[in-house]
């Protein structure tokens, strides 16, 4: 007699249940981001099978395709059949003329975060799969990213204080989710843009079978992401410690003079003021250049990136520009005792012969004083590499349009 555990459908069912178990323990409210594609549809049905209540289904309707409203209604009907409450979250307002995918992605997570607050949830789950992770890592590999980019999509990341986004299916292949839905008789939507070669992700997706034939499987992409995430976390911790050590003199935080916390158990520094100024901005920010000069280059890059965030540096963040500033100008000047002054992200970075580094708002000017790096092969103006918080989420696909949370 055959072992029922050998049944592929049962194997996938157990894999889904095991993947969801850590996130659905207890009875706290959880939001499920469901677009209607196979991945998020499997997420909804598998979650409903794991837990009887406190699940809230949400569909973001970007309004960018005529059929999106019908797809949201189909998700609502499926959720109702499972006894789950559903909300359609429309993206309203004027659409941007450029970078629409990045704007739509940001709007999607804003809407999901707002809905989570409404229902009292502290966790949002999405259906991203191992295939999505492989595409993301491949895009960032082509872009020349470092560990932060090659770490791909994080299994868990904060959406806002007190609210996390988690991706329980990052170890599961998309084909398994599609097969499970079909075996269960569960209907799902298919996005026609997923077969449109005008979009960068689609073109890369066609490469994955060729790479797999050479041994570069989605499993190995996922392994790269895990290892890069591990290294990225170590670099981030080293940079945070070095930053605390390098900050010198009392700091003005929100208009008040305040020393940097020191020692074990010290309170955290104010959160980064990325995007320019704000109550958490530290201006001017002063660093001990001798400490910076003694750091490994990879850590020094992170320290300066962190310092620019703390000082309210504007977006976007570009690794090539940061490398040009830190590796090409600042560290050589500090190590030789020369003065140097550069601008980046709306901030003036100056080092004097005594190896003191000061960061303050730069006078208004066009550009940021450093030439932009060459656009990456797929980005068409997007950043060609990533560092730190710039990699908190999946990158925009080159030339693609957002339709719904990617399935």
């Amino acid at each position: 007699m055959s072992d029922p555990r050998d049944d592929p459908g049962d194997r996938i069912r157990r894999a889904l249940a095991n993947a969801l178990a850590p996130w659905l323990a207890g009875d706290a409210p959880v939001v499920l981001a469901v677009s209607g594609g196979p991945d998020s549809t499997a997420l909804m049905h598998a979650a409903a099978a794991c837990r009887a209540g406190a699940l809230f289904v949400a569909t973001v309707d970007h309004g960018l395709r005529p059929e999106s409203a019908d797809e949201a209604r189909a998700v609502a009907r499926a959720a109702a059949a499972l006894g789950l409450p559903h909300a359609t979250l429309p993206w309203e307002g004027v659409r941007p003329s450029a970078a629409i995918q990045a704007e739509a992605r940001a709007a999607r997570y804003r809407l999901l975060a707002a809905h989570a607050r409404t229902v009292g949830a502290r966790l949002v789950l999405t259906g991203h799969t191992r295939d999505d992770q492989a595409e993301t890592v491949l895009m960032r590999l082509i872009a020349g990213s470092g560990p932060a980019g090659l770490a791909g999509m994080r299994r868990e990341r904060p959406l806002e204080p007190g609210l996390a986004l988690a991706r329980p299916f990052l170890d599961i292949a998309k084909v398994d989710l599609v097969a499970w839905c079909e075996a269960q008789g569960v209907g799902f939507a298919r996005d026609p843009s997923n077969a449109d070669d005008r979009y960068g992700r689609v073109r890369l997706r066609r490469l994955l079978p060729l790479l797999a034939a050479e041994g570069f499987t989605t499993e190995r992409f996922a392994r790269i992401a895990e290892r890069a995430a591990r290294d990225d976390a170590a670099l981030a911790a080293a940079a945070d410690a070095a930053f605390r050590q390098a900050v010198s003199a009392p700091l003005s935080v929100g208009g008040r003079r305040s020393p940097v916390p020191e020692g074990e158990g010290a309170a955290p520094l104010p959160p980064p003021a990325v995007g320019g100024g704000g109550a958490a901005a530290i201006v001017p920010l002063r660093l001990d250049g001798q400490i910076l000069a003694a750091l490994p280059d990879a850590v020094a890059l992170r320290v300066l990136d962190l310092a620019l965030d703390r000082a309210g540096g504007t977006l976007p963040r570009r690794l090539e520009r940061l490398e040009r500033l830190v590796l090409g100008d600042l560290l050589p000047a500090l190590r030789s005792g020369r003065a140097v002054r550069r601008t980046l992200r709306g901030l003036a970075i100056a080092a004097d012969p005594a190896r003191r580094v000061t960061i303050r708002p730069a006078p208004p000017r066009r550009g940021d004083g450093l030439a932009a790096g060459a656009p990456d092969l797929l980005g068409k103006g997007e950043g060609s590499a990533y560092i730190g918080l710039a990699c908190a989420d999946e990158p925009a696909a080159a030339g693609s349009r957002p339709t719904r949370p990617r399935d």
Side-chain angles (χ1 to χ4, degrees):
M1 179 179 296
S2 63
D3 189 333
R5 291 176 297 178
D6 294 336
D7 177 72
D10 186 62
R11 174 184 60 80
I12 298 171
R13 179 192 60 77
R14 285 186 283 108
L16 300 185
N18 290 338
L20 286 167
W23 309 105
L24 297 183
D27 55 3
V30 175
V31 171
L32 307 176
V34 181
S35 65
D39 307 344
S40 59
T41 297
L43 171 70
M44 177 173 67
H45 282 263
C50 291
R51 182 197 271 197
L55 296 174
F56 297 84
V57 180
T59 304
V60 176
D61 182 3
H62 297 99
L64 298 175
R65 294 183 294 114
E67 59 269 32
S68 64
D70 289 338
E71 291 170 358
R73 285 190 286 268
V75 174
R77 290 192 295 271
L82 294 170
L84 303 179
H86 176 272
T88 297
L89 312 177
W91 183 26
E92 299 174 334
V94 179
R95 300 295 190 270
S97 58
I100 190 169
Q101 180 159 22
E103 291 295 328
R105 185 174 60 252
R108 174 163 69 246
Y109 289 121
R110 283 198 304 270
L111 290 166
L112 289 170
H115 185 63
R117 290 195 301 270
T118 298
V119 301
R122 303 185 67 178
L123 179 65
V124 176
L125 299 183
T126 71
H128 292 101
T129 67
R130 190 173 66 208
D131 300 67
D132 297 311
Q133 183 73 301
E135 292 168 12
T136 300
V137 173
L138 180 56
M139 289 177 69
R140 291 177 173 175
L141 185 64
I142 291 172
S145 291
L150 296 181
M153 294 183 287
R154 303 311 199 266
R155 194 174 303 275
E156 180 181 8
R157 73 170 181 88
L159 270 182
E160 61 180 34
L163 177 64
L165 171 77
R167 301 177 171 101
F169 292 168
L170 277 188
D171 293 326
I172 298 176
K174 181 184 183 70
V175 66
D176 284 345
L177 297 183
V178 172
W180 186 83
C181 286
E182 292 176 342
Q184 300 296 314
V186 173
F188 54 83
R190 295 185 184 274
D191 184 350
S193 70
N194 284 335
D196 192 331
D197 280 338
R198 290 178 298 173
Y199 307 131
R201 257 194 197 265
V202 175
R203 298 194 299 275
L204 287 182
R205 192 173 298 137
R206 297 193 191 285
L207 291 178
L208 290 176
L210 301 176
L211 294 172
E214 300 297 331
F216 207 167
T217 61
T218 58
E219 292 93 337
R220 288 187 174 175
F221 275 108
R223 198 173 304 140
I224 286 174
E226 291 175 1
R227 290 168 175 166
R230 188 169 60 228
D231 291 349
D232 181 57
L235 283 170
D240 182 73
F243 174 76
R244 290 175 178 275
Q245 185 181 11
V247 173
S248 60
L251 305 174
S252 175
V253 181
R256 299 186 303 274
R257 305 294 282 183
S258 174
V260 174
E262 293 180 352
E264 187 175 347
L269 289 168
V274 181
I282 302 174
V283 180
L285 191 149
R286 297 182 178 87
L287 301 172
D288 186 329
Q290 293 189 50
I291 292 175
L292 288 179
L295 293 173
D297 288 355
V299 177
L301 279 168
R302 299 276 182 134
V303 171
L304 259 294
D305 188 57
L306 182 58
L308 295 176
D309 284 348
R310 299 293 180 184
T314 58
L315 299 175
R317 305 159 84 211
R318 295 287 182 260
L319 180 54
E320 291 90 345
R321 300 185 187 188
L322 183 68
E323 287 173 331
R324 195 173 296 118
L325 166 68
V326 177
L327 306 183
D329 295 313
L330 184 59
L331 287 182
L334 291 173
R335 289 165 180 166
S336 63
R338 292 184 290 106
V340 67
R341 177 184 171 87
R342 295 290 185 269
T343 59
L344 183 65
R345 295 178 55 193
L347 297 169
I349 303 96
D352 63 23
R355 295 181 175 86
R356 293 172 298 205
V357 178
T358 303
I359 302 174
R360 64 179 76 243
R365 57 178 294 180
R366 289 189 175 184
D368 59 14
L370 292 173
D376 62 88
L377 296 178
L378 291 166
K380 302 205 184 346
E382 294 290 332
S384 58
Y386 302 81
I387 185 169
L389 295 175
C391 289
D393 202 9
E394 66 271 21
S400 64
R401 58 181 176 178
T403 54
R404 56 176 188 247
R406 183 168 298 277
D407 269 326

mmCIF file of all heavy atoms in Angstrom, residues 32 66 71 91 93 116 126 217 266 271 295 398 405:
data_model
loop_
_atom_site.group_PDB
_atom_site.id
_atom_site.type_symbol
_atom_site.label_atom_id
_atom_site.label_comp_id
_atom_site.label_asym_id
_atom_site.label_seq_id
_atom_site.Cartn_x
_atom_site.Cartn_y
_atom_site.Cartn_z
ATOM 1 N N LEU A 32 -4.469 39.311 5.070
ATOM 2 C CA LEU A 32 -3.971 38.563 3.918
ATOM 3 C C LEU A 32 -4.102 39.438 2.685
ATOM 4 O O LEU A 32 -5.207 39.854 2.332
ATOM 5 C CB LEU A 32 -4.769 37.272 3.722
ATOM 6 C CG LEU A 32 -4.897 36.343 4.934
ATOM 7 C CD1 LEU A 32 -5.799 35.157 4.587
ATOM 8 C CD2 LEU A 32 -3.531 35.853 5.399
ATOM 9 N N PRO A 66 -8.576 47.459 -16.899
ATOM 10 C CA PRO A 66 -10.047 47.449 -16.863
ATOM 11 C C PRO A 66 -10.610 46.295 -16.037
ATOM 12 O O PRO A 66 -11.660 46.433 -15.411
ATOM 13 C CB PRO A 66 -10.434 47.307 -18.346
ATOM 14 C CG PRO A 66 -9.260 47.809 -19.109
ATOM 15 C CD PRO A 66 -8.054 47.461 -18.292
ATOM 16 N N GLU A 71 -11.629 41.434 -10.806
ATOM 17 C CA GLU A 71 -10.776 40.518 -10.056
ATOM 18 C C GLU A 71 -10.938 40.726 -8.557
ATOM 19 O O GLU A 71 -10.966 39.758 -7.783
ATOM 20 C CB GLU A 71 -9.323 40.712 -10.475
ATOM 21 C CG GLU A 71 -9.044 40.254 -11.896
ATOM 22 C CD GLU A 71 -7.674 40.671 -12.406
ATOM 23 O OE1 GLU A 71 -6.950 41.367 -11.654
ATOM 24 O OE2 GLU A 71 -7.330 40.316 -13.547
ATOM 25 N N TRP A 91 -6.725 52.437 -5.068
ATOM 26 C CA TRP A 91 -5.685 53.463 -5.136
ATOM 27 C C TRP A 91 -6.315 54.677 -5.809
ATOM 28 O O TRP A 91 -6.592 54.664 -7.000
ATOM 29 C CB TRP A 91 -4.480 52.964 -5.924
ATOM 30 C CG TRP A 91 -3.340 53.946 -5.976
ATOM 31 C CD1 TRP A 91 -3.044 54.919 -5.088
ATOM 32 C CD2 TRP A 91 -2.336 54.026 -6.999
ATOM 33 N NE1 TRP A 91 -1.927 55.608 -5.465
ATOM 34 C CE2 TRP A 91 -1.464 55.082 -6.628
ATOM 35 C CE3 TRP A 91 -2.083 53.314 -8.168
ATOM 36 C CZ2 TRP A 91 -0.371 55.446 -7.415
ATOM 37 C CZ3 TRP A 91 -0.989 53.673 -8.942
ATOM 38 C CH2 TRP A 91 -0.141 54.729 -8.564
ATOM 39 N N GLY A 93 -6.646 59.075 -6.364
ATOM 40 C CA GLY A 93 -5.806 60.247 -6.546
ATOM 41 C C GLY A 93 -5.169 60.273 -7.918
ATOM 42 O O GLY A 93 -5.351 59.379 -8.747
ATOM 43 N N ALA A 116 -4.695 47.384 7.966
ATOM 44 C CA ALA A 116 -4.273 46.625 9.138
ATOM 45 C C ALA A 116 -4.565 47.399 10.418
ATOM 46 O O ALA A 116 -5.030 46.826 11.411
ATOM 47 C CB ALA A 116 -2.791 46.284 9.034
ATOM 48 N N THR A 126 1.774 38.158 2.492
ATOM 49 C CA THR A 126 1.660 38.157 1.042
ATOM 50 C C THR A 126 2.053 36.780 0.509
ATOM 51 O O THR A 126 2.626 35.963 1.232
ATOM 52 C CB THR A 126 2.561 39.221 0.382
ATOM 53 O OG1 THR A 126 3.932 38.819 0.503
ATOM 54 C CG2 THR A 126 2.363 40.586 1.031
ATOM 55 N N THR A 217 19.361 27.004 -10.292
ATOM 56 C CA THR A 217 17.937 26.827 -10.040
ATOM 57 C C THR A 217 17.401 27.908 -9.110
ATOM 58 O O THR A 217 18.170 28.658 -8.489
ATOM 59 C CB THR A 217 17.692 25.454 -9.391
ATOM 60 O OG1 THR A 217 18.393 25.413 -8.137
ATOM 61 C CG2 THR A 217 18.188 24.334 -10.295
ATOM 62 N N ALA A 266 22.211 50.935 25.823
ATOM 63 C CA ALA A 266 21.895 52.320 25.495
ATOM 64 C C ALA A 266 20.631 52.394 24.668
ATOM 65 O O ALA A 266 20.315 51.510 23.889
ATOM 66 C CB ALA A 266 23.053 52.940 24.694
ATOM 67 N N PRO A 271 15.182 57.486 14.799
ATOM 68 C CA PRO A 271 15.088 56.805 13.513
ATOM 69 C C PRO A 271 15.616 57.684 12.397
ATOM 70 O O PRO A 271 15.638 58.909 12.513
ATOM 71 C CB PRO A 271 13.582 56.557 13.354
ATOM 72 C CG PRO A 271 12.934 57.594 14.216
ATOM 73 C CD PRO A 271 13.867 57.779 15.376
ATOM 74 N N LEU A 295 38.186 51.986 9.327
ATOM 75 C CA LEU A 295 37.188 50.945 9.090
ATOM 76 C C LEU A 295 37.439 50.236 7.764
ATOM 77 O O LEU A 295 37.963 50.822 6.816
ATOM 78 C CB LEU A 295 35.789 51.563 9.050
ATOM 79 C CG LEU A 295 35.240 52.159 10.338
ATOM 80 C CD1 LEU A 295 33.925 52.875 10.059
ATOM 81 C CD2 LEU A 295 35.031 51.059 11.387
ATOM 82 N N ALA A 398 11.781 46.495 -14.649
ATOM 83 C CA ALA A 398 12.101 47.460 -15.687
ATOM 84 C C ALA A 398 11.000 47.542 -16.710
ATOM 85 O O ALA A 398 10.567 46.561 -17.275
ATOM 86 C CB ALA A 398 13.393 47.043 -16.362
ATOM 87 N N PRO A 405 -0.489 43.024 -6.364
ATOM 88 C CA PRO A 405 0.637 42.344 -5.748
ATOM 89 C C PRO A 405 1.035 41.156 -6.597
ATOM 90 O O PRO A 405 0.208 40.315 -6.925
ATOM 91 C CB PRO A 405 0.097 41.932 -4.374
ATOM 92 C CG PRO A 405 -0.948 42.961 -4.080
ATOM 93 C CD PRO A 405 -1.571 43.276 -5.411
#
